[in-house]
Amino acid sequence: MADKTQEIGGIHFPFPFTPYSIQKDFMAELYQVLEAGKIGIFESPTGTGKSLSLICGALSWLRDFEQKKRQEEARLLATGTAPSNEGKDQPPFISSSCQETPDTLKPAGEPDWVTQFVQKKEERDLVDRLKKEQIRRKKREERLWQLRHNTQLKYAAKRERQEEVETEHLLRLSRDILAAGTEAEPLEQLASGEEELVLSEYESEEEKGTTNGLDEDEDDLEEEHITKIYYCSRTHSQLAQFVHEVQKSPFGKDTRLVSLGSRQNLCINEDVKNLGSVQLINDRCVELQRRRHESKSRAEDEEPKRRRREPRAACPFYNYKQLQLLRDEVLLEVKDIEQLVTLGKEAAACPYYGSRSAIPAAQVVVLPYQMLLHTATRQAAGIRLQGQVVIIDEAHNLIDTITGIHSTEVSGAQLCQAHSQLLQYMERYRKRLKAKNLMYIKQILYLLEKFVTVLGGNIKQNPTTQSLSQTGTELKTINDFLFQSQIDNINLFKVRRYCEKSMVSRKLLVFTERYGAVRPPPREQPGLAGLQHFLQSLQPGAGATEAPAAPVEAAAGAPRPASPLVHIEGFLAALTTANQDGRVILSRQGSLSQSSLKFLLLNPAVPFAQVVKECRAVVIAGGTMQPVSDFREQLLACAGVEAERLVEFSCGHVIPPDNILPLVLCSGPSNQQLEFTYLKRELPQMMDEIGRILCNLCNVVPGGVICFFPSYEYQRQVHAHWDKSGVLARLAVRKKIFQEPKRADQVEQVLAAYSRCIQCHGQAGGMVTGALLLSVVGGKMSEGINFSDNLGRCVVLVGMPYPNIKSPELQEKMAYLDQTLPRTPGQPPPGKALVENLCMKAVNQSIGRAIRHQRDFASIVLLDQRYARPPVLAKLPAWIRDRVQVKATFGSAFAALRKFHHEKSGLS
């Protein structure tokens, strides 16, 4: 693409074509938000080039930031002195790695020579750090230049051993424990490969002294994290689309961009990838790394007389030198996830770890929501937010996303299974486990037992056949749940830390695979028969009196279930949340296995506050961000963002005003008032009226019509009623009818058939003029799908999709907001406002499916007189709100629709 550089307010914005005026405004505002270090909420309707505006605006700022930083570095290195603050803040272009903590006030009476000495030392330290950063940057640029010009590179493996020190230390400690045994009685001989299952001696953080560090070679220091932009979105397809936009932009050749993904998306080891389950893939990947460390440690062990165990295979793609080559290849050109996987296969290097090693030197890091918003996942990926820029795109569901990431649920079956597995593990290796390991394992067993008891079950009985005397849903505060479960005396923070550091769930997974359901050992191991019998009893279809079948080897390629202890660890971590910020839901169903404990996060601002606090600037962007009050009040204000730091930007659409016709329809063809409340919407006359309206619309609207219903159940009821009353047959005269599938893997197939139908009938002519797609608000078709041009000439919304007000989760959330947020005079209570906002967010997403580019046109029909209320209209996107026509009668609405499509389609 040609570079059409635009100068806006003295700033040069490279752009692949002449931008729209709203794109210029978007880029200028974005630049100022990043420069001033603010929090921005940006709304730009789909079809207005939001992605390109984000790319060119943000990367223009980063270009200027890096240029200012280099100029300042050159001045500092030339003069050897830092700029005098004189009460001012440090220059914003000094990188996060060079920033010091805020200067403390000068103590009263301190001599001037002391102050000058301290200031001079700080200046020297700053200059030294700048010199080191300059050396690292030159090394990186030289490597990439050589790689770009196909020069043979030579890499040293000086840090390879440093990466392995901790794991190697644990393995040596484990072998020492096994060799020492106990003096009282000889230890039982372990089977081949069992040594790795024994937990190493555990030391808490308080018990650890200073770690033995390795002397770093000054020529091979790890690169600091330069100032960069973290861009995240909901799905991998949206991330890939963003990466392709970067590739086509004027910045595509020179930007160092890294795409991050999960092991499931990036793994190229077929044996691991075929495991299917995300948790199994993660566990096996870590296990293969451990085998690699173990094999090296054994090779260095100078005991030729000891019987060696048969070496076990490690991952062939986790190779230090190849990973470094892959890292530089990643930084050389912009690549999406698929291209990264292809490159990894060619280089025989792991894309998962290769991409992570490229993070420090990258200018842009592209990653999914969960990886950035979940603290533990972010830390595991090596992401550092201090002083960085974060852009969260497609952020209309950001609050729900954060809540979902930090909420977790465990079933009664998982609790019982984890208890049985851990108990059998402890009995098997009791004599080989140190006292601290035994103490924590017994605490976990106690917790599991109490969790089952609070549900009304018995840990010693089969959860599948165990009926509960009490059923229903009960909601508790965290403290009340801890007291009722009788676990308030246990330090859950220490238990959580132990689970993380000891990797007990991974040990348990391998133990269960070996002795639980895969294959019995040659001779029956003590204490394992009970585990095998219990696991077999949990298999589907296993009756209470059924004789246990002989163990058989698992079917090849069938995914094995991950250790249930992994899910329980997440639940334990959630219980460490502050009492006022979360709730525990006890769901007691017919049997213990179907019952569950669920943690519900009420305050998403708590995990988000860390992102806001650490980052230089945060941008929350989307095509439809209305209503933005949720972001302001529930997320940003509660996260400590001051009003002066918050910037809101919303732009109009690029389509001409007469290319869209939004209508609110208050009554149908038979003068039936349209108000689809829970009490009225299932009435036959209401369902008949929807049918009459659609039959009229399909007579005048060409191409595709998408009709959104408030729920799958209501869509099913209406479809069944139309089938009996003959409405479906009348609709089929003009439009072929499609329904949104419930299964996600069938969506593409239905969309392809829908598209072919519209294309064929649009060219062939005849009575059938296109297709009608019956969809669901909040379903698979309501976001992320483009119904551009003839695919979506009309969008119809039946009723207002309010969430289920009887949901215990929603009721608790409403009560929480009423208690914590101030009530604005003249406005509904915060809890009621939440319900209305959830409804309108869903409506706005569905509306946005139709208009996708500047020359597109479509009509939008809202079937419910409640849409005519001013508070509801105010929550529609501005580009729709300003053009809405409220029609009290169907006749006037139909005349406007017929005229609109007659003119736009050029029909005679």
Side-chain angles (χ1 to χ4, degrees), residues 466-649:
Q466 189 177 162
S467 299
L468 302 182
S469 57
Q470 181 184 358
T471 58
T473 301
E474 190 178 358
L475 196 141
K476 297 280 185 182
T477 65
I478 298 175
N479 287 346
D480 287 345
F481 173 76
L482 297 179
F483 283 120
Q484 183 177 341
S485 304
Q486 299 177 0
I487 61 172
D488 53 295
N489 59 326
I490 292 181
N491 190 328
L492 294 178
F493 291 93
K494 286 190 174 183
V495 174
R496 172 187 177 183
R497 181 75 177 174
Y498 172 77
C499 292
E500 291 175 356
K501 292 301 179 182
S502 68
M503 298 188 295
V504 60
S505 60
R506 293 194 177 104
K507 303 269 187 184
L508 201 57
L509 173 67
V510 181
F511 172 77
T512 308
E513 281 185 341
R514 181 169 301 187
Y515 298 119
V518 182
R519 176 185 292 166
R523 61 183 178 85
E524 185 173 340
Q525 299 289 343
L528 297 180
L531 174 63
Q532 294 168 359
H533 176 77
F534 177 81
L535 291 176
Q536 289 163 6
S537 71
L538 293 181
Q539 299 302 318
T545 60
E546 184 179 352
V552 295
E553 189 165 358
R560 294 181 293 276
S563 170
L565 190 59
V566 175
H567 302 284
I568 294 161
E569 286 177 5
F571 183 71
L572 291 175
L575 291 179
T576 61
T577 306
N579 182 61
Q580 69 272 16
D581 293 332
R583 297 290 184 269
V584 179
I585 301 172
L586 288 74
S587 177
R588 300 183 180 96
Q589 305 300 324
S591 68
L592 176 60
S593 63
Q594 295 173 331
S595 302
S596 65
L597 299 173
K598 180 178 180 180
F599 173 81
L600 174 66
L601 180 70
L602 293 178
N603 187 4
V606 172
F608 194 67
Q610 188 176 6
V611 176
V612 172
K613 181 181 178 181
E614 293 184 0
C615 290
R616 172 196 177 93
V618 176
V619 174
I620 303 171
T624 304
M625 299 298 288
Q626 294 292 335
V628 297
S629 57
D630 283 0
F631 298 100
R632 277 198 314 263
E633 297 163 10
Q634 293 184 43
L635 198 61
L636 298 175
C638 292
V641 177
E642 301 85 359
E644 56 270 18
R645 196 186 174 197
L646 182 61
V647 175
E648 294 181 22
F649 175 87

Side-chain angles (χ1 to χ4, degrees), residues 135-148 153-160 163 219-225 228 255-260 317 319-335 339-341 343-365:
I135 292 171
R136 295 186 190 102
R137 184 171 63 244
K138 287 181 177 178
K139 280 187 175 184
R140 179 184 66 240
E141 291 171 352
E142 183 180 349
R143 283 200 320 268
L144 297 181
W145 185 90
Q146 290 175 336
L147 193 61
R148 186 174 283 113
L153 299 179
K154 296 181 180 179
Y155 290 89
K158 297 176 183 177
R159 285 181 292 157
E160 187 172 8
E163 297 174 356
D219 293 333
D220 196 29
L221 287 172
E222 181 183 356
E223 285 189 279
E224 294 285 347
H225 285 240
K228 58 176 58 61
T255 301
R256 299 188 302 276
L257 181 147
V258 175
S259 296
L260 299 183
F317 304 105
N319 177 279
Y320 177 79
K321 293 182 180 180
Q322 294 303 113
L323 285 176
Q324 300 308 299
L325 286 170
L326 179 61
R327 174 200 64 187
D328 291 339
E329 286 280 3
V330 168
L331 295 171
L332 194 62
E333 292 180 355
V334 175
K335 297 176 180 65
Q339 293 167 329
L340 181 57
V341 170
L343 183 63
K345 290 178 179 178
E346 294 173 353
C350 176
Y352 178 79
Y353 286 102
S355 59
R356 273 152 180 72
S357 65
I359 292 176
Q363 295 169 305
V364 179
V365 177

Side-chain angles (χ1 to χ4, degrees), residues 692-846:
R692 295 188 192 100
I693 292 171
L694 285 179
C695 284
N696 280 278
L697 290 180
C698 290
N699 282 332
V700 298
V701 177
V705 176
I706 305 102
C707 181
F708 287 101
F709 290 88
S711 68
Y712 283 103
E713 177 59 24
Y714 188 56
Q715 180 202 344
R716 186 195 62 78
Q717 290 179 357
V718 172
H719 189 273
H721 179 79
W722 287 350
D723 192 21
K724 291 180 181 179
S725 63
V727 172
L728 285 182
R730 294 200 300 273
L731 286 170
V733 173
R734 284 290 185 179
K735 306 287 183 185
K736 186 174 180 179
I737 301 172
F738 295 86
Q739 290 190 78
E740 176 178 323
K742 286 191 175 182
R743 287 174 48 185
D745 58 353
Q746 295 177 339
V747 171
E748 290 297 332
Q749 180 181 351
V750 172
L751 286 175
Y754 172 80
S755 178
R756 285 195 301 270
C757 175
I758 292 173
Q759 186 176 8
C760 292
H761 289 291
Q763 295 172 350
M767 290 291 289
V768 178
T769 59
L772 169 64
L773 178 60
L774 306 179
S775 303
V776 177
V777 174
K780 302 169 187 64
M781 307 286 191
S782 63
E783 58 178 297
I785 305 294
N786 293 341
F787 293 104
S788 59
D789 300 318
N790 274 339
L791 296 181
R793 289 303 183 200
C794 182
V795 174
V796 181
L797 272 88
V798 178
M800 298 188 70
Y802 283 107
N804 181 10
I805 196 69
K806 296 181 180 179
S807 162
E809 291 93 336
L810 182 57
Q811 287 185 346
E812 191 63 24
K813 181 74 173 179
M814 292 170 62
Y816 172 80
L817 293 178
D818 287 338
Q819 293 170 5
T820 56
L821 295 183
R823 181 171 179 178
T824 305
Q827 297 295 323
K832 185 177 180 182
L834 168 69
V835 176
E836 293 181 354
N837 289 347
L838 289 174
C839 170
M840 293 309 298
K841 281 181 183 294
V843 168
N844 292 340
Q845 281 303 306
S846 299

Side-chain angles (χ1 to χ4, degrees), residues 195-215:
E195 182 179 311
E196 67 178 21
L197 299 179
V198 182
L199 288 163
S200 303
E201 184 173 10
Y202 176 72
E203 293 179 319
S204 61
E205 289 298 305
E206 306 90 64
E207 297 166 336
K208 287 184 179 179
T210 56
T211 56
N212 293 325
L214 293 181
D215 293 331

